[in-house]
Amino acid sequence: MTKIPSTAGSIFRLLCRVLGGQDQTALKESITTALLPQLFNMAHSQDLLPALAVRCNEQGIDTLVFGEEKADLLKQAVMDNTLRNMEISAQALKFTRQLNLAGITPLFLKGTARLLTSESENFGFRKQIDIDLIVQPAELEVAGDVFLADGYSFCKFPDNSTAVPISP
């Protein structure tokens, strides 16, 4: 096993190569160069364990190579993330139905759009925490009413204004 000097920057670049999915050699390289512990620690510190677990699975690398405790953390991270993403996906579909019933077609953005078109085996890869969508400006008030009727509320700021003013 070759040991090469590592810096936080080099470990981060290696992690980007692994998670980017275009470099099928990076994960194996981290094993042969004894950088696997630092790679795991960097992924953990950046809240990227689910993505690392998915890449290991895709490349046929048993997560036990990290050790039993870290393998368990990887497994739990991808399971938790998959469940959260399933819940967010279901919520986004619910939003779509409710808005469609009101004559509104939402446009989902960023991670939500990717999540809704994700392959099922990669469902736990990306950490999703919110739903980003837009509607036509003329539909904003009705969309707000749809969400309020479903129990959502607007964020109140210290000056008592809301995050999204519904009417002037």
Side-chain angles (χ1 to χ4, degrees):
M1 194 176 297
T2 308
K3 177 89 169 150
I4 61 171
S6 61
T7 64
S10 65
I11 298 299
F12 185 75
R13 283 189 295 280
L14 179 61
L15 182 61
C16 290
R17 287 175 47 213
V18 169
L19 300 184
Q22 301 300 311
D23 186 344
Q24 298 294 313
T25 65
L27 192 52
K28 289 180 177 121
E29 178 183 317
S30 71
I31 296 168
T32 60
T33 58
L35 294 175
L36 204 55
Q38 293 103 313
L39 186 72
F40 179 92
N41 291 340
M42 177 70 71
H44 195 314
S45 73
Q46 299 299 313
D47 203 14
L48 295 170
L49 289 183
L52 182 58
V54 169
R55 285 293 182 246
C56 286
N57 183 57
E58 288 174 346
Q59 295 179 26
I61 294 176
D62 189 338
T63 56
L64 285 173
V65 72
F66 292 95
E68 192 171 334
E69 184 179 326
K70 289 180 179 177
D72 287 344
L73 285 173
L74 286 164
K75 181 180 178 182
Q76 191 62 49
V78 79
M79 286 174 47
D80 291 347
N81 202 48
T82 299
L83 179 60
R84 179 179 29 260
N85 286 349
M86 290 171 70
E87 291 168 347
I88 288 173
S89 180
Q91 190 175 25
L93 293 172
K94 178 183 171 188
F95 287 168
T96 301
R97 281 191 297 277
Q98 291 172 319
L99 291 169
N100 287 169
L101 287 172
I104 299 170
T105 301
L107 176 62
F108 291 98
L109 305 173
K110 306 184 324 184
T112 308
R114 289 188 60 102
L115 183 63
L116 293 172
T117 59
S118 171
E119 298 173 17
S120 60
E121 69 262 11
N122 292 330
F123 214 63
F125 182 82
R126 189 177 192 282
K127 194 128 190 182
Q128 184 73 22
I129 59 170
D130 62 359
I131 297 174
D132 298 302
L133 65 93
I134 58 174
V135 298
Q136 293 292 326
E139 301 169 335
L140 184 58
E141 189 169 345
V142 173
D145 290 341
V146 167
F147 291 126
L148 290 170
D150 197 41
Y152 290 89
S153 61
F154 291 97
C155 177
K156 295 278 186 185
F157 292 107
D159 67 358
N160 214 24
S161 65
T162 58
V164 180
I166 296 299
S167 50

